[in-house]
Amino acid sequence: MTHPGEITRRQLIRRIGLAALVVGPGAGLLSGCATGGGEEPAAPVTSATGSADPRNPFGVDARKPLKVTIFSGGYGDAYAKEIHEALYKKEFPGAAVEHNATQQISTQLRPLFVSGDVPDVVNNSGPQALDLVALAEQGHLADLTALFDAPSIDDPAKKIRDVVTPAVLDNAKIDGKDLVLNYTVSHRALWYNAKLFAAKGWTVPRTWAEFTALGDKAKAEGILLFAYPGQKGPYYQLWNVLYTAAKIGGNQAVIDIDNLVDGAWKTEPVKQAVTAWVDIQAKYGDKAYFGLDHTQTQVKHLQDKLLFYPVGSWIENEMAKDKPDGFEYAIAPIPDVTAADKMPYGAIQVGVGENFFVAARGKNPQGGLEYLRIMLSKDGARGFTEKTQNLTVVNGAAEGLDLPPGLRSAAKAQDAAGQNIITDARFEGWYKELFDYGTEQINVVMAGRITPDEFCSRMQAKADTIKKDGSVPKQTRGE
């Protein structure tokens, strides 16, 4: 079975259409959710047989209102209003669509889950995203099996599950049930200004020695080698450390962390990864960035005050309005940390993200499923890409689009990586407490207030506590 971080080149380049883009071309983070207990889950939509009409497989009431809540972060919300909701209204002109955009997903929606007045569709993303495992445990997430088994809008002879990259199906499951739709394909690595590198005659470092040598050159010119946001974005560096551990020790390093394997945080690859980045911060970083949020740090990146920034491929669209003409986003794989790294240079993280769900207790779950089906049409997916300059999980939907340099760079990097794809860490969605603790502790260790060994010990102790806590639902992934 292919795991979400182990997507093959055929699945995510050929099938999504990136090969054409090269020739010519975010998980969400989960925050607290105080949902109401004691209430029995509403009856789920269990099949796509609500209507004999393949154009309306869920039997949507054409006059029933639909409520949609969108996280208005790096992707904005224009794609929802102008593409997906417009397509829904075209199909059901008598249905009113209530649009709500917010960056405060948890703050806004937690009271609604208690009162029962929930949106039908939720784009659950950002630092205040809801805890999906908690929502699933309390029966708030509609089963998406009906969606995946429904006919594709573009070709009714094919099911939805046949027109999306397989990682969508792998990542949809919580406790073995299809409950979440991850909609975007993202690349998380080190991002830099290709125009600056060209002007300076610098090359992207392939080894750690080359990385630090470049740090010395940049430092002499008053430029930081590397920085990350200490506020509202330290998880970027937590991701970076985990992917570096996978680069050193193989994907098993991250898989074991996800599975709460004893001692997973104290393995040599994890310790080496933390140590390597702590050293970079000490020699080439600036502690002032611990007080900056992601937007402030990204602006400094655009001003060429730092070379490499650890983030995902949504960055290009997020900063489009601020990007000067002299800046061109490009992606760099993590350099070889040791001479014995299990994954070769060029290995890169590719995953699916930006999760959506349908509320099981919403007033129009059938409409919610249809809304997701529309999102997974080529018109819906292509429109999203045009609006956000980011790719979706719909196979072939991006073919022929004129996409920006950063995304073309990511596609080339993915093509070069071939089978060497770094897995995504799923514990961020499975064990909110552990992930939140990690985002706190990464700042502590990067600032030099604890040692890498102490960081690993603290993370292992927290993982052990969660593993022993019978009230926390446990998830597992294959190897």
Side-chain angles (χ1 to χ4, degrees):
M1 176 181 289
T2 300
H3 300 296
E6 300 165 345
I7 309 165
T8 68
R9 182 161 59 107
R10 287 186 178 181
Q11 290 168 341
L12 275 176
I13 290 198
R14 185 176 176 184
R15 293 185 65 188
I16 296 177
L18 283 182
L21 299 177
V22 173
V23 176
L29 305 173
L30 304 178
S31 190
C33 172
T35 56
E39 170 180 9
E40 288 300 316
V45 181
T46 56
S47 71
T49 58
S51 170
D53 183 357
R55 293 184 57 185
N56 186 11
F58 310 116
V60 176
D61 184 336
R63 296 165 297 178
K64 204 167 191 177
L66 184 77
K67 291 185 178 182
V68 179
T69 291
I70 300 294
F71 171 69
S72 56
Y75 297 130
D77 67 315
Y79 72 86
K81 289 190 293 186
E82 300 172 20
I83 305 297
H84 300 151
E85 292 170 17
L87 288 169
Y88 188 90
K89 290 178 183 177
K90 182 179 179 181
E91 189 64 25
F92 306 107
V97 177
E98 180 182 318
H99 175 89
N100 174 45
T102 180
Q103 292 193 15
Q104 311 297 321
I105 293 291
S106 181
T107 299
Q108 283 200 13
L109 297 191
R110 279 185 298 174
L112 300 183
F113 278 101
V114 174
S115 69
D117 187 25
V118 294
D120 300 299
V121 177
V122 176
N123 167 210
N124 183 55
S125 190
Q128 276 209 22
L130 295 160
D131 186 332
L132 292 176
V133 173
L135 288 175
E137 188 179 27
Q138 296 179 25
H140 285 296
L141 305 185
D143 194 326
L144 300 186
T145 303
L147 171 69
F148 296 138
D149 285 337
S152 163
I153 288 175
D154 303 296
D155 182 358
K158 294 182 178 179
K159 296 180 179 181
I160 291 292
R161 65 175 66 249
D162 299 324
V163 300
V164 297
T165 184
V168 172
L169 306 177
D170 289 338
N171 278 266
K173 295 187 182 302
I174 297 176
D175 287 333
K177 298 178 182 178
D178 295 327
L179 301 176
V180 183
L181 170 64
N182 286 276
Y183 190 59
T184 61
V185 176
S186 64
H187 306 73
R188 297 175 188 165
L190 302 173
W191 289 79
Y192 69 99
N193 180 5
K195 288 186 176 180
L196 175 65
F197 272 59
K200 297 287 188 182
W202 293 339
T203 57
V204 174
R206 297 173 61 94
T207 67
W208 213 253
E210 292 175 357
F211 191 49
T212 57
L214 180 58
D216 291 331
K217 292 179 182 178
K219 191 174 184 178
E221 299 195 26
I223 305 172
L224 299 178
L225 175 63
F226 167 87
Y228 74 93
Q231 304 296 318
K232 296 184 179 179
Y235 48 82
Y236 289 175
Q237 179 58 7
L238 181 58
W239 285 339
N240 191 38
V241 165
L242 291 169
Y243 303 149
T244 303
K247 172 76 172 64
I248 297 169
N251 280 328
Q252 197 64 46
V254 175
I255 293 170
D256 286 348
I257 285 174
D258 287 343
N259 287 340
L260 301 178
V261 171
D262 292 343
W265 283 97
K266 300 176 77 171
T267 62
E268 281 305 308
V270 177
K271 289 182 181 180
Q272 288 174 326
V274 178
T275 300
W277 284 109
V278 167
D279 287 346
I280 291 296
Q281 174 66 35
K283 294 176 183 176
Y284 305 105
D286 183 345
K287 288 187 177 181
Y289 282 77
F290 290 119
L292 302 184
D293 64 23
H294 64 293
T295 301
Q296 293 167 325
T297 306
Q298 286 158 198
V299 168
K300 288 186 177 292
H301 191 211
L302 293 175
Q303 295 170 343
D304 290 328
K305 294 184 178 180
L306 61 131
L307 291 188
F308 292 104
Y309 181 61
V311 72
S313 48
W314 58 83
I315 183 68
E316 193 165 26
N317 181 67
E318 185 172 6
M319 302 305 291
K321 293 180 180 178
D322 300 298
K323 186 176 69 65
D325 291 340
F327 196 101
E328 181 180 295
Y329 279 109
I331 196 170
I334 296 169
D336 290 341
V337 184
T338 76
D341 284 4
K342 283 195 175 180
M343 301 189 79
Y345 175 76
I348 195 168
Q349 195 276 343
V350 183
V352 295
E354 202 64 14
N355 66 74
F356 288 74
F357 66 80
V358 172
R361 295 170 182 155
K363 293 181 173 61
N364 191 4
Q366 291 82 9
L369 291 173
E370 182 61 23
Y371 184 89
L372 297 190
R373 192 172 78 108
I374 287 170
M375 286 175 55
L376 295 169
S377 68
K378 286 193 174 180
D379 282 347
R382 185 183 182 91
F384 177 91
T385 298
E386 289 175 328
K387 287 289 183 185
T388 68
Q389 300 294 280
N390 282 267
L391 300 169
T392 74
V393 297
V394 180
N395 300 334
E399 289 178 358
L401 291 182
D402 182 19
L403 295 176
L407 199 52
R408 293 199 300 270
S409 171
K412 290 178 182 178
Q414 184 179 317
D415 194 16
Q419 301 299 312
N420 298 304
I421 300 299
I422 297 174
T423 189
D424 56 340
R426 296 198 207 170
F427 79 94
E428 65 180 90
W430 290 350
Y431 309 113
K432 171 193 174 304
E433 184 180 351
L434 179 60
F435 189 74
D436 286 353
Y437 185 71
T439 63
E440 297 170 0
Q441 293 302 309
I442 200 67
N443 271 350
V444 178
V445 69
M446 291 295 289
R449 298 199 296 272
I450 60 173
T451 67
D453 279 351
E454 288 171 328
F455 170 85
C456 293
S457 293
R458 289 185 181 190
M459 293 303 299
Q460 188 59 56
K462 177 63 73 172
D464 291 345
T465 298
I466 290 171
K467 184 175 182 177
K468 295 173 184 176
D469 187 346
S471 69
V472 178
K474 304 303 189 296
Q475 311 292 325
T476 58
R477 60 184 295 187
E479 299 181 1

